[in-house]
């Protein structure tokens, strides 16, 4: 069925209510599976409205998920979900139906598959393109243990653009591994799929050479299916000489209608009788069954909690809201590009999330979406910089981790002029530990030639991006997810002095005892609030320094403040270990300045999901937490 509204009351789902374990699903007659799928889709619609979260991808894999759990003996057989955006139906069918509305909430279900949550979650995910490697590892391990089982890796066409996926496929063939890869092709990652691989999938579809399997597991060519898939707008490639997957060494089957649950059951039952590396190509529609999501899958990639009957976007307040940091970046990118035609912009499949839509429309010849290929994105920028251009790489902190070798070897070692706009730095709330940007200070500040900045607000973010762009060498501006503080953004762009901090607040300056708070990035405002409260309660001087630069550190201001400081406090939304506070500690030790110092930041642990304010409070990084820590250290 096609739905147009998200239900606000729990739908009636008699078959689904009887499934607390996939074994109960497998006891149903095959003819009931379409009803199970319809009930599951209704329930996912309802649950997503209650909790928010990933949306379109989950609706697109309902039938596929039902068929997989019906045909394979999970959890003894292994299902490995890539990324995990699409795992909500899997969670519902594996004993977590009544908790699915808690997904992404504090103490609720994780946003992605998590091994500690369920034995059915065979591999913890969140980042793209890991499933084939992990599944191959499981298959080879079970072969070694002489306890083979079916292993199925479910991978999207977007995730297949990453080199890691092809490295794993190549190795699977080398080992003749008993591995099934399900290629869930919806012509999307988060944005539309791009590049040669997307064209190749279209060519497979357009040739009409579909390979199926009979009940004995024997392959045969079948006629083109009756259903249509028409989202691809590029030129037909019916003269494709071969099938890429077959050329690698996989047995290829498909493409199949990923919403025909009974056909999928037939295919999977037959494939279980074959051995070796096998790939099943299925076409699905992102947002399937919900009309608004089918029409606009990018907007409905993920949703927030929805009010009753909330098909339309919520109305915004009449007062002007603070912009998102990603929008600040996007506007700066357009403004800087208007002044310098050497600027080129690169994103690894995060155009919308990084605020680059306007730039892509305004400067299409200067915009490069390289798909899910973070390593390539960084080295691509390095190559552009070698030719005298000024590339800007827009990337999330958690995803730049995947391009770390390229950051060191290809950019920093050659001291190339590349600017990194690092979004989603610090805690990211409901997306949990897989997406937290908790380590970028640590992994960047150890790299020679890097300049690293962290803005206290959205105006400073704009000025820092301008500063980074005009600095000759590798630079990074690290900013948080979500909206800014609401300060006025100056359109005039002015470069900051490299490595220069500023004192932003001073209280009780004449007091005999003094505390200096060295705050980095997003924690400046909370530090000022905590300082004001502390100074109001006690006859102690407190000053707050907006450090601005993690590297180079403003050593001069620290040295000057040390003469009149009885306690240093560093505050950052980053892991304490090896973070900005550690950089301050290192300088004080090298300068032989002996002062008490309190380092506040994220603990040495992976933090489970909650709202961003809840997580900050739990870590003691909101104003009250900072105040409490200073009080404890002082008294």
């Amino acid at each position: 069925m096609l739905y147009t509204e998200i239900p606000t009351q729990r739908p009636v789902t008699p078959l689904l209510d009887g499934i607390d374990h996939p074994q109960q699903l497998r006891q149903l007659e095959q003819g009931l599976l379409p009803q199970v799928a319809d009930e599951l889709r209704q329930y996912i619609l309802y649950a997503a409205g209650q909790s928010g979260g990933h949306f379109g991808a989950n609706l697109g894999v309902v039938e596929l998920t039902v068929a997989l759990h019906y045909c394979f003996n999970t959890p003894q057989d292994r299902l490995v979900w890539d990324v995990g955006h699409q795992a909500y139906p899997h969670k519902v069918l594996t004993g977590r139906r009544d908790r699915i509305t808690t997904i992404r909430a504090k103490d609720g279900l994780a946003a992605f598959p998590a091994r500690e949550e369920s034995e059915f979650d065979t591999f913890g995910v969140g980042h793209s393109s890991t499933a084939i490697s992990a599944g191959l590892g499981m298959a080879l391990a079970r072969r070694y243990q002489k306890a083979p089982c079916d292993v199925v890796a479910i991978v999207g066409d977007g995730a297949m653009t990453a080199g890691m996926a092809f490295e794993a496929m190549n190795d699977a063939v080398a080992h003749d591994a008993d591995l099934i890869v399900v290629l869930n092709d919806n012509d999307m990652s988060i944005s539309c799929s791009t590049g040669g691989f997307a064209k190749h999938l279209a060519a497979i579809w357009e040739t009409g050479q579909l390979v199926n399997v009979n009940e004995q597991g024997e392959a045969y060519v079948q006629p083109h299916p009756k259903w249509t898939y028409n989202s691809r707008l590029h030129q037909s490639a019916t003269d494709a000489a071969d099938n890429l997957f077959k050329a690698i060494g996989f047995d290829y089957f498909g493409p199949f209608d990923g919403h025909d649950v009974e056909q999928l059951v037939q295919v999977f039952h037959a494939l279980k009788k074959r051995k070796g590396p096998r790939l099943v190509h299925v076409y699905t529609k992102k947002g399937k069954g919900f009309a608004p999501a089918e029409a606009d899958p990018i907007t409905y990639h993920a949703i927030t909690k929805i009010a009753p009957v909330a098909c339309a976007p919520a109305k915004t307040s009449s007062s002007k809201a603070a912009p998102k940091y990603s929008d600040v970046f996007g506007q700066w990118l357009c403004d800087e590009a208007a002044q310098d035609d050497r600027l080129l912009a690169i994103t690894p499949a995060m155009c919308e999330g990084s605020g680059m839509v306007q730039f892509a429309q305004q400067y299409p010849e200067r915009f490069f979406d390289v798909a899910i290929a973070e390593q390539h994105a960084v080295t691509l920028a390095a190559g552009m910089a070698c030719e005298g251009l000024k590339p800007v790489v827009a990337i999330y902190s958690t995803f730049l981790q995947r391009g770390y070798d390229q950051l060191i070897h290809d950019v920093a070692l050659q001291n190339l002029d590349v600017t990194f706009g690092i979004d989603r730095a610090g805690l990211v709330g409901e997306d949990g530990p897989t997406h937290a940007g908790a380590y970028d200070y640590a992994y960047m500040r150890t790299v020679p030639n890097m300049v690293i900045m962290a803005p206290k607000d959205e105006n400073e973010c704009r000025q820092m991006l301008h500063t980074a762009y005009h600095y000759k060498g590798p630079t990074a501006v690290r900013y948080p997810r979500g909206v800014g503080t609401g300060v006025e953004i100056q359109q005039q762009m002015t470069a900051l002095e490299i490595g220069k901090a500023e004192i932003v607040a001073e209280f009780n300056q004449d007091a005999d005892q003094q505390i200096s708070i060295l705050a980095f990035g997003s924690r400046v405002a909370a530090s000022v609030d905590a300082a004001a409260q502390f100074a109001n309660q006690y006859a102690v001087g407190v000053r707050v320094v907006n450090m601005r630069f993690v590297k180079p550190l403003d050593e001069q201001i620290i040295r000057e403040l040390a003469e009149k400081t009885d306690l240093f406090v560093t505050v950052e939304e980053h892991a304490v270990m090896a973070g900005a506070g550690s950089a301050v500690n290192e300088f004080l030790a090298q300068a032989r300045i002996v002062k008490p110092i309190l380092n506040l930041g994220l603990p040495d642990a992976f933090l489970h999901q909650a709202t961003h304010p809840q997580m900050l409070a739990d870590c003691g990084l909101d104003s009250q937490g900072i105040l409490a820590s200073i009080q404890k250290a002082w008294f």
Side-chain angles (χ1 to χ4, degrees), residues 433-627:
T434 60
H435 283 56
Y439 314 109
D440 47 58
Y441 289 164
Y443 70 65
M444 288 191 298
R445 76 177 187 87
T446 57
V447 179
N449 295 328
M450 288 294 301
V451 171
I452 308 164
M453 309 176 212
K456 71 179 188 299
D457 57 41
E458 55 269 44
N459 179 59
E460 192 165 70
C461 183
R462 176 177 171 87
Q463 308 310 324
M464 283 185 173
L465 287 163
H466 177 72
T467 303
Y469 181 77
H470 287 276
Y471 178 84
K472 289 181 169 45
T475 55
V477 179
R478 182 237 204 215
Y479 46 92
R481 179 185 189 179
V483 299
T485 61
V487 302
E488 181 181 354
I489 299 177
Q490 301 296 323
Q491 295 307 302
Q492 177 66 34
M493 292 186 286
T494 305
L496 305 176
E497 182 180 347
I498 298 295
K500 188 67 175 177
E502 63 169 354
I503 296 175
V504 292
E506 291 186 286
F507 307 96
N508 298 340
Q509 296 182 54
D510 297 330
D512 293 334
Q513 295 178 302
Q514 298 282 327
I515 297 173
S516 293
I517 303 176
L518 310 181
F520 293 84
S522 67
R523 295 301 86 209
V524 171
S527 295
V528 171
D529 189 23
Q533 293 184 62
F534 189 91
N536 188 52
Q537 295 178 42
Y538 311 105
V540 177
V542 187
R543 68 182 54 83
V544 179
V545 183
N546 170 25
M547 291 302 292
R548 285 182 166 170
F549 291 84
V550 176
K551 185 178 183 179
L553 200 64
D554 190 341
E555 298 176 351
Q556 180 180 347
I557 198 170
I558 299 174
R559 191 184 297 272
E560 292 173 353
L561 290 176
E563 297 178 1
K564 51 187 175 183
T565 294
D566 299 286
L567 172 66
F568 276 115
V569 180
T570 66
V571 189
E572 60 191 299
E573 192 174 342
H574 180 280
V576 169
M577 190 177 294
S582 290
V584 174
N585 299 350
E586 291 162 11
F587 167 70
L588 291 173
Q590 291 167 357
R592 298 185 179 180
I593 298 172
V594 180
K595 291 285 180 178
I597 186 164
L598 170 65
N599 298 133
L600 301 180
L602 303 179
D604 183 25
F606 293 111
L607 303 175
H608 292 293
Q609 74 281 354
T611 67
H612 188 232
Q614 285 173 332
M615 297 185 79
L616 288 174
D618 290 345
C619 295
L621 290 178
D622 61 352
S623 60
Q624 292 305 307
I626 295 169
L627 174 61

Side-chain angles (χ1 to χ4, degrees), residues 214-230:
N214 60 25
E215 293 182 356
Q216 288 71 45
E218 298 168 338
Y220 67 94
V221 175
Q222 70 173 50
H224 202 288
K226 301 297 183 183
W227 73 298
T228 60
Y229 182 81
N230 57 12

Side-chain angles (χ1 to χ4, degrees), residues 122-154:
T122 60
F123 196 73
V125 292
H127 287 192
S128 164
S129 315
T130 61
I132 304 177
S133 293
L136 175 59
M138 294 173 191
L140 295 179
R142 294 302 293 263
R143 174 192 288 177
Y144 175 76
Q145 294 167 335
K146 295 182 172 53
C149 65
D150 285 313
V151 179
V152 185
I154 304 96

